[in-house]
Each structure stands twice: as C-alpha cells, then as structure tokens.
Amino acid sequence: MATVTFHGAAQEVTGSCHLINIPGQAKFLLDCGMHQGGDAIERIGAEQFSFDPSHINFVILSHAHLDHSGLLPKLVANGFDGPVYCSTATTDLLPIMLDDAAGLYFRDIERENEKRERRGQDPVTPEYTEADVKQVLALCHGLAYNEPHTEQHGVSICLRDAGHILGSAIVEVSFDERGHPKKLVFSGDLGKQNSALMNDPDIVTDANLLLMESTYGDRDHRTLDNSLEQIAQVLSETWDAGGNVMIPAFAVGRTQELLYYLGQLHQQDRLAPWQIFLDSPMAIKVTEVYDRWLHTMDCKDVRALCETDKSFLKDFLPRLQTTTTTDESMSINKIKKGAIIIAGSGMCTGGRIRHHIKHRIWDKRNTLIFAGFQARGTLGRILVDGAKRIKLFGDEYMVRARIETINGFSAHAGQSELVQWASHFTSQPQLCLVHGEPEAQDALATRLWQEKGIEAKIPQLNQTIAF
C-alpha cells in the first residue's frame, strides 16, 4: 500500500518535505524545504535526510519559497539526480532564490572559517556546492497549470493554481496501485481569496489522501479594506511622529503585494511624500519576473496603467527607489525621517532588514510593520511577542520602536478559507494537516469536524501513514 512519511512541516510551519512511497513503482518527494530561524550554517548542517536521496526518483515542488525548496542543493549533493517538477513560473523564480541563499550561505562559511583559522580550529565544510545548485536548476522541468504530465514511473502529475505566490501549485498525483486508481492531493501553500495580484486557489474535489496546509488554521485575516486602512493610519501616524517605517518582507510574493498596496494608496492620493525603498537585490529581480507574468495575474488596475515596455512598479508606484548595492543600502541609514524601507528577510532571520532594525529599533519615532507569519525561533516572532531587548550582531538593543502586525496582507488562506476549500472534496479523502503550528492545527481540526464532519489527522515528524 502507498504511504506518506512526513519529514518536515509536521506540527511546524517550515521545512516542507513529504516522502511518498508507492511500493515497486516510485519513491518521490513533495517539496524539499529548509527550516527557518537560527544560524544558517548550523541549520543547514543539522538538516539530515532520514532517507537515501539516491533512491528518490523525482521531486514535485509546490513553489519557490525556501521553506519548500531550500534543501534541493543538499539533496543533489547527497546523491539525488532525478527530475524536479514544478510550474513554469517557478522555474523562473527558483534560480533567484537558490542562488541568493547559496551566496549568503557560502559567505557565512567563509567568515566562519576565517574565525576558525585564527583559533586554530578545523574549517567548516559546506553541505553543498555551487555546482549542486546548478545541477538542481538543470533538473527542473516546468509544467503548465491544468495539463497532466505522466512521469516515467507511471505517476501522473497535474498542477493547479494555489494562488499563494507566482507559480505556486496545488499538486495532484494520480497512479494505479494493483489495478486500483489512487489520487493524492497536496495543497502546497494556499493563497487567500481576493488577493491583490494572485488568482483565487483552484478548487479540487477528488482525492484518496489530502495533505493541506494549516498556517493560519486558528484565525481569519482582517479584510483587505481594513488592512489598507490600518497601514494607511500607521503610516500617517509615523509620518506625524517624524519617524521611518521598516517592513520585513519575503522577496517572493509578499514584497510585490506590499508594493501593490502602497501603489494603491499612491493612486488614491493617500500616501504622504514618503521616500520608498525596495532594499533587496533578490526582491528586485523577483519583481522583474512578476512583470513578465503580469498578464496571468488578477490585477487589471495595474495592467491598465502599465505600458508594455515598463515595469508595473515604475508605473504604479513611481516614488519607489530600488537599491542593489551595499553602499546604496547603507546610505538609507542617513535618512532621519520619512523613509519606508522594504527589505528581506521576511522573518528577520537574515538579510538587510536586520541592519535597518539595528539602526532604528531603539527610536520610538520609528515603526516596524510585520505583514506576514513569523515562525517560532525567528527574530520576527521574538519582536511580535513583545521583546523589550534584542541582540543583533553581538550587541544588545532596546526595543522602543512601534511594532505593528497587519495580517490582512498574508499570502496564506485564513481558517474559514481553509475550511471552505477542504469542504469541496466530495470523495471524503483521508485528510492530514501539515505546515502549521500545533495550536493552529488543533483549532482547524476542531472546526473541520464541528462544521463539516471532516476528520483531520495531525501527523508527527517522521510519522508514516498508509493510503
């Protein structure tokens, strides 16, 4: 009988990785993501596969975010050489994501080894190389939405639009097991309905096994109108206080949506004369990819303002300045007031946002806006939970800046939307909740049962379930 083993994102939000075993036919992974939070060298070094990567026939990638894709280079370094199936748009985004992550990782190792050399310690050996990253990209096969592809091991793969970020996919896997047809559906990360740029998630109605994310399984988001009002008010009050605004944002998805919302405020003449900085080389590259795929998105108001040879950012938010070099980034710190700074990483685990926080978190005139989920163990979560002091780059800082959370801008479906999406399945599949913290999963499981009579399992790490 076919089985699924949960090697990540089991009662946690990051590290998505699920091993499907169809005896005598195929072994494959749904995602191969890294955990977020903590030191990158220690984190990647600690990620050990509890299966033999050389025995994996193929990988199906739901989308490009690193908590779903970030361990692909290590998988290759440990012997995997099969195809990686993903959406066509994901093949455009993945090189940016993996190259950036690898660059940061190798630079961290170089700095660490310099310290170790001075101490007479053995150097750290990287868990993967640049060649492994290139090999991952060479193994990628882009699939169009809604067009089934039969893999050489007799497994049919069909990707649907998940509405989370550009290229995000709901994965449908169909196969015959001893003459009996079976179907597995993996939601990936589901987007919320009526998102600014993304289409609503596609509806699926049939499966034997459903793996569904549960990131926001314990709550619904504020409405978009309320969230726009909230950010407009926060920006206005920070402007009046003579401060600056910092917004940590993931390079893929969250950044583009934030720019769209700021563009909306600008188009409505509701944005004070802020200097707006996109201080993320990776996010700038990703936004250029979004430009190329703009025709597939749900944003007629943006397209109407755009000329075919221009970026929607330049047309929709002309006050935006992009900063790519380190010197340009550092120069932002000289601005005393009136700057909106959007930078990665989204959970403040690395990237330029940490430097901006260092320069501004101790000033009560400034505001730090969180517009997405903050996983346990990350600096973002520590700040959201009300820390009064934080440590950055070896120094301690008082937290005097205003901390605001605006969850209406999330790229994930809220509880009610998850319940609604699951209720469309008429085949009564076995349902397992993944990609969520225990409290969120318990709340979602309770509501699914009470309102829809749907029983949901909450797998533990490394647990195996037959279907």
Side-chain angles (χ1 to χ4, degrees), residues 372-392:
F373 186 84
Q374 304 298 309
R376 287 176 177 170
T378 64
L379 176 59
R381 181 62 166 266
I382 291 168
L383 287 164
V384 167
D385 285 345
K388 301 302 181 185
R389 295 176 182 269
I390 59 171
K391 203 164 189 178
L392 276 172

Side-chain angles (χ1 to χ4, degrees), residues 188-236:
D189 284 358
L190 290 173
K192 59 186 176 66
Q193 295 178 4
N194 302 314
S195 170
L197 296 177
M198 297 296 102
N199 300 304
D200 288 352
D202 284 342
I203 299 300
V204 185
T205 61
D206 178 51
N208 297 96
L209 175 66
L210 169 60
L211 309 183
M212 186 175 76
E213 72 117 315
S214 51
T215 309
Y216 285 98
D218 57 348
R219 58 195 183 276
D220 286 323
H221 304 303
R222 294 172 66 114
T223 66
L224 181 56
D225 286 344
N226 286 341
S227 297
L228 280 172
E229 290 301 321
Q230 184 183 358
I231 195 170
Q233 180 178 348
V234 171
L235 291 177
S236 176

Side-chain angles (χ1 to χ4, degrees), residues 305-321:
L305 287 168
C306 293
E307 300 174 15
T308 56
D309 61 342
K310 286 187 178 181
S311 163
F312 84 84
L313 295 180
K314 293 184 176 66
D315 290 320
F316 201 59
L317 186 58
R319 207 178 297 160
L320 179 71
Q321 302 176 57

Side-chain angles (χ1 to χ4, degrees), residues 24 48 113 116 120 172 190-191 231 234 276-277 318 352 354 378 380 389 419 424 428 431 449 467:
Q48 299 299 321
N113 284 340
R116 287 172 171 254
E172 297 183 37
L190 290 173
I231 195 170
V234 171
I276 304 171
F277 296 93
R352 293 181 176 181
R354 291 170 69 91
T378 64
R389 295 176 182 269
V419 170
H424 286 97
Q428 297 182 326
L431 170 59
W449 175 251
F467 68 99

Side-chain angles (χ1 to χ4, degrees), residues 36-108:
Q36 294 181 303
D39 176 80
I41 299 174
E42 294 178 359
R43 185 171 67 246
I44 295 173
E47 301 269 17
Q48 299 299 321
F49 299 117
S50 49
F51 52 85
D52 187 344
S54 67
H55 292 171
I56 301 300
N57 301 119
F58 58 92
V59 175
I60 308 175
L61 186 62
S62 66
H63 63 287
H65 276 153
L66 291 176
D67 61 327
H68 295 257
S69 69
L71 285 187
L72 285 171
K74 185 167 180 173
L75 192 75
V76 166
N78 281 264
F80 172 74
D81 63 356
V84 177
Y85 297 105
C86 58
S87 72
T88 309
T90 296
T91 64
D92 280 354
L93 290 173
L94 199 60
I96 300 172
M97 301 295 290
L98 294 185
D99 286 345
D100 183 82
L104 292 172
Y105 176 53
F106 296 144
R107 284 194 291 275
D108 284 351

